[in-house]
Amino acid sequence: METTLNYLREGQCARIKTLRMQGAMRRRLLDFGLIEGTRIRCLGCSPAGDPVLYCVRGTVLALRRQDSRCIAVETEP
Amino acid sequence: MSLIALAGNPNVGKSTLFNALTGRNQHTGNWPGKTVELAQGRCQYKGEEIQIVDLPGAYSLVSRSPEEQVAEDFLRSGGADCTVAVCDATCLERSLILVLQVLALSPKTVVCVNLMDEARRAGLQVDTARLERELGVPVVATSANRGEGTQRLLEAVRSVCDGFVPLLPERAPIRGETEEESDAIARRFVLRAEEVASKCVEKNAAGKNLTRRLDRILLNKWSGYLVMLLLLLGVFWLTIEGANYPSQGLQWCFDRLGELLRSGAERLAFPTWLTGALLDGIYATTARVVAVMLPPMAIFFPLFTLLEDFGYLPRVAFLMDHRFRRCGACGKQSLTLCMGLGCNAAGVTGCRIIDSRRERLIAVLTNAFVPCNGRFPALIFLISLSFSGGSALLGAGVLTLCLLLSVAMTLLASGLLSHTALKGEPSSFVLELPPYRKPQVGQVLVRSVRDRTLFVLGRAAAVAAPAGLVIWLLANLHIGGTSLLQGAAAVLEKPGILLGMNGAVLLAFLLGSPANELVLPILMLTLTAGTGLGGESSTQMAGILLENGWTWRESLCTLVFFLFHWPCTTTLLTIRKETGSRKWTLLALLLPTAFGCVLCILLHFALLLIP
């Protein structure tokens, strides 16, 4: 099912479809290897609910919801 | 002599490797973006001298943040005879993205796969021979924290420098003319990294994932903040409790030495003014700075370094990001704030890890809101004088409250700035949480205690000694019956009292601008009218204050003013350098000062209501 990254629940996995953003943030995410087809797993959110932790290519990243909203993903069943 | 550059992602152990190679003590830490200036060192290999430059960690050479720019510029300029691209064996795929970019920029490269011991523990096997075939450059496996593989690395570096390794055919672009082109290039790097990593890394056993389990406690909704507070409290408690005895010991030594010097001066029939200037001025001030300031600093700093090496600080940034975002700032500001606890000047330089210019400026301007190491000992002294009695635990509690107040004011000031001078929305933000690592306890303790001691002694010689002389002169040059120092204190008496302190304290803050650790010693010299008694111990200092009618009210206001006043000269110069603007430097000076003045005046009037 296609959705955006911020809707991923803890433990859920998805594959990146597109990065709907430009400029510095887009470059930064590409550096971390977030390209189309990359598998990403949600590890859970911070006590305040934002930012949220994800695991990509063996790295643990924290992303704010305002950013993860702009990342389209395809959830894995 | 050959020049080699170390390049790699943040937190892959570049600084540890640098130290293992050069024996130099580049400060290492377990959080992304530790090396913000270029560190240089030398080492010998088979009689040849090799110069090594440690480039700041970068996620990519298609740079954005100022520190990544430094790395790219250096590699592009072709200044190095050989580049060592450092990888993290536990996370090879991601490291390779940068390595491929380095290879595209500079063909004379050796790839160093570091953290091999950690990878083994995690059940990962890296086939370096295969990696060498895939990349076409020499690959060396190392565990820099144990010094494993460094000789092989140097051998490979030398063979590249001497031209014994066939070079890659040509350079490739690392970015395109347009956004689409750059995207395509970036994608190619990622896919190639994925391909190479899949061929060279084998996961042979289910390794233990301690990091995830620990994070479940340390980042938990309920226990996360509690653990953070307890850690802070623990560090403060150990600092206060532990600083007591060495402080007394140092004091005893300084007293004896002072007596010896005095009798020596008498025997040599020194004129009174010379004995006064040398012993009451220079010696007494230096002795006070060293005896009272050194022990807490030499304990706090290593403890904090242990937390840093363990990998806890990025977690603080993660836990605190929410609050900073609300104030329109960046979560990474928590990291610069933590650096500021060590030294505000270092904290200001550390702000380069923040990508957005607006958020970086906010972090720079508010860094002095957290008390640096030079202020801690004075805070501890005031707290034990008026609030905690002899109880170290209570003292640590009050100190923790002070720090919470600091953080609250930092947030308030950040919020103010992002609504006024630095208007804007919080920008996007990616924070990497590195795996926890076992700190090299012995090494950290020895290294940072020694470094701190040298640092304090160096500062004592460079700042405290001359300041002692100047202040002694001010205390002993008389105009119309009163000394200059007392005259100045009298002029400042009114504003001092308005701030809930007194003229002498305000004067001490003003004269202590070169270094915060000078404030208390200057105050003592003012109150004793320049007839210093040698280096007074904390008890003697307390006695002098109490004789001058000091109460807990003055302590409270002085405490607050210690937390919030103008940054020391070093910090201001650093801010000037980092922002390149007089306007921002002036604001950095005025902002904490304004906060301190307002808080102290409010406090002063509030205290009037209490009988």
Side-chain angles (χ1 to χ4, degrees):
Chain A
M1 192 185 77
E2 192 175 332
T3 175
T4 49
L5 193 58
N6 57 317
Y7 286 113
L8 240 55
R9 275 171 283 115
E10 188 175 333
Q12 210 181 356
C13 291
R15 291 199 181 260
I16 306 278
K17 283 190 75 89
T18 42
L19 305 178
R20 292 186 197 139
M21 55 182 77
Q22 294 302 319
M25 186 62 175
R26 186 184 177 87
R27 293 259 80 80
R28 183 61 90 206
L29 292 176
L30 287 174
D31 294 344
F32 279 108
L34 273 80
I35 58 171
E36 197 185 328
T38 305
R39 195 159 177 269
I40 188 163
R41 188 157 59 97
C42 175
L43 298 177
C45 60
S46 78
D50 191 18
V52 180
L53 283 183
Y54 298 95
C55 182
V56 190
R57 298 182 190 272
T59 311
V60 178
L61 298 179
L63 292 178
R64 285 176 175 171
R65 283 182 192 279
Q66 65 181 58
D67 300 318
S68 56
R69 245 201 311 267
C70 307
I71 302 176
V73 295
E74 178 83 35
T75 53
E76 290 187 352
Chain B
M1 192 176 67
S2 329
L3 176 70
I4 68 171
L6 302 184
N9 287 153
N11 212 46
V12 293
K14 265 186 318 99
S15 297
T16 315
L17 181 67
F18 178 82
N19 287 343
L21 289 174
T22 62
R24 226 190 82 154
N25 308 311
Q26 159 87 310
H27 181 57
T28 61
N30 185 9
W31 54 276
K34 190 64 229 233
T35 315
V36 279
E37 296 275 3
L38 288 182
Q40 296 191 29
R42 280 155 199 274
C43 75
Q44 292 279 340
Y45 184 71
K46 294 200 175 155
E48 202 199 342
E49 190 152 293
I50 300 178
Q51 195 176 8
I52 302 176
V53 178
D54 187 14
L55 296 176
Y59 288 112
S60 129
L61 292 176
V62 192
S63 50
R64 276 161 319 269
S65 78
E67 47 165 355
E68 287 172 326
Q69 187 71 48
V70 172
E72 190 198 347
D73 289 349
F74 193 91
L75 291 179
R76 230 175 237 291
S77 71
D81 296 306
C82 173
T83 310
V84 175
V86 189
C87 298
D88 179 349
T90 64
C91 185
L92 194 66
E93 191 179 323
R94 204 203 66 208
S95 301
L96 280 175
I97 300 176
L98 182 81
V99 170
L100 292 170
Q101 293 182 345
V102 171
L103 288 176
L105 267 190
S106 79
K108 282 188 150 192
T109 297
V110 172
V111 172
C112 161
V113 184
N114 195 24
L115 302 170
M116 284 300 274
D117 49 339
E118 242 178 81
R120 271 195 295 273
R121 270 200 299 277
L124 293 169
Q125 216 155 29
V126 180
D127 184 349
T128 46
R130 182 80 199 258
L131 192 57
E132 203 164 275
R133 282 201 301 279
E134 290 291 333
L135 297 177
V137 293
V139 174
V140 182
T142 59
S143 300
N145 56 344
R146 306 181 187 181
E148 278 173 29
T150 49
Q151 290 307 306
R152 265 177 292 135
L153 179 65
L154 287 175
E155 179 62 47
V157 164
R158 210 181 61 151
S159 57
V160 167
C161 288
D162 295 349
F164 290 132
V165 176
L167 294 181
L168 291 175
E170 61 193 80
R171 297 183 180 201
I174 61 168
R175 82 180 97 199
E177 298 290 322
T178 62
E179 185 104 337
E180 286 80 48
E181 257 177 64
S182 295
D183 265 26
I185 292 173
R187 205 166 289 132
R188 272 211 296 281
F189 279 126
V190 175
L191 288 174
R192 175 76 183 135
E194 200 177 288
E195 186 193 337
V196 173
S198 69
K199 285 179 187 165
C200 304
V201 184
E202 210 172 313
K203 192 164 173 77
N204 50 14
K208 293 175 287 182
N209 197 342
L210 262 178
T211 295
R212 282 309 300 151
R213 256 184 269 168
L214 256 178
D215 269 348
R216 235 158 248 170
I217 303 167
L218 296 182
L219 303 181
N220 180 277
K221 198 176 220 166
W222 308 107
S223 52
Y225 293 114
L226 188 71
V227 171
M228 193 157 81
L229 263 185
L230 284 179
L231 277 175
L232 202 60
L233 191 74
V235 167
F236 287 153
W237 177 71
L238 282 172
T239 305
I240 296 178
E241 186 72 50
N244 228 339
Y245 301 102
S247 230
Q248 282 169 3
L250 277 175
Q251 202 50 61
W252 188 86
C253 295
F254 278 122
D255 285 348
R256 294 295 92 75
L257 185 61
E259 281 164 23
L260 275 179
L261 288 174
R262 205 168 288 275
S263 65
E266 269 166 28
R267 204 164 304 153
L268 291 172
F270 274 15
T272 339
W273 62 266
L274 189 59
T275 320
L278 288 179
L279 289 179
D280 298 333
I282 297 177
Y283 180 76
T285 312
T286 316
R288 271 184 211 122
V289 167
V290 175
V292 179
M293 302 293 160
L294 177 59
M297 289 187 184
I299 294 175
F300 176 84
F301 214 77
L303 286 177
F304 209 77
T305 312
L306 285 179
L307 275 184
E308 188 181 324
D309 280 7
F310 178 53
Y312 187 65
L313 298 194
R315 268 85 188 168
V316 174
F318 175 69
L319 288 171
M320 296 294 291
D321 176 62
H322 173 68
R323 329 246 148 202
F324 280 99
R325 185 173 54 95
R326 282 201 162 173
C327 301
C330 177
K332 289 186 195 163
Q333 200 177 327
S334 324
L335 292 175
T336 63
L337 211 131
C338 288
M339 279 178 103
L341 283 177
C343 166
N344 289 134
V348 167
T349 317
C351 292
R352 293 187 194 172
I353 60 169
I354 298 173
D355 293 342
S356 131
R357 194 188 99 89
R358 188 187 71 85
E359 287 161 15
R360 192 162 57 242
L361 267 174
I362 293 182
V364 166
L365 294 180
T366 56
N367 196 274
F369 278 77
V370 288
C372 64
N373 239 283
R375 287 185 263 172
F376 268 116
L379 295 176
I380 293 173
F381 167 74
L382 285 171
I383 289 170
S384 72
L385 172 69
S386 300
F387 303 107
S388 66
S391 159
L393 194 60
L394 192 59
V398 180
L399 196 54
T400 308
L401 285 180
C402 288
L403 197 71
L404 290 183
L405 180 68
S406 266
V407 174
M409 290 301 142
T410 307
L411 288 170
L412 187 63
S414 305
L416 265 178
L417 283 173
S418 51
H419 281 102
T420 52
L422 289 164
K423 261 202 187 95
E425 289 298 308
S427 69
S428 6
F429 148 100
V430 194
L431 177 76
E432 185 198 347
L433 297 192
Y436 291 109
R437 293 201 179 118
K438 205 177 102 211
Q440 298 158 277
V441 180
Q443 221 177 337
V444 166
L445 287 183
V446 171
R447 207 171 254 175
S448 56
V449 168
R450 189 193 57 199
D451 286 357
R452 274 292 105 177
T453 310
L454 288 179
F455 175 79
V456 174
L457 291 180
R459 288 260 286 203
V463 185
L469 181 63
V470 170
I471 305 226
W472 183 85
L473 285 176
L474 288 176
N476 286 280
L477 288 178
H478 293 262
I479 292 177
T482 54
S483 72
L484 283 176
L485 204 58
Q486 278 166 325
V491 172
L492 290 172
E493 189 69 11
K494 277 226 169 93
I497 285 189
L498 182 68
L499 293 171
M501 304 181 287
N502 57 43
V505 183
L506 194 55
L507 181 67
F509 272 112
L510 280 171
L511 292 174
S513 310
N516 276 300
E517 51 265 50
L518 287 177
V519 174
L520 271 190
I522 293 174
L523 178 61
M524 291 305 131
L525 216 54
T526 317
L527 293 179
T528 54
T531 58
L533 312 159
E536 284 88 4
S537 67
S538 304
T539 14
Q540 283 166 311
M541 293 205 318
I544 296 174
L545 281 177
L546 295 175
E547 267 169 38
N548 284 274
W550 189 268
T551 66
W552 65 272
R553 292 156 198 264
E554 277 91 5
S555 279
L556 188 60
C557 291
T558 312
L559 209 58
V560 171
F561 206 69
F562 247 117
L563 292 176
F564 313 110
H565 66 282
W566 47 89
C568 73
T569 329
T570 320
T571 307
L572 282 175
L573 288 175
T574 314
I575 294 174
R576 172 88 177 82
K577 203 177 114 212
E578 290 296 311
T579 60
S581 131
R582 274 197 203 136
K583 194 184 76 178
W584 293 122
T585 314
L586 186 67
L587 188 59
L589 181 139
L590 293 178
L591 194 67
T593 311
F595 267 71
C597 289
V598 170
L599 280 175
C600 280
I601 291 171
L602 287 178
L603 206 55
H604 169 63
F605 286 109
L607 287 175
L608 286 182
L609 300 176
I610 305 173

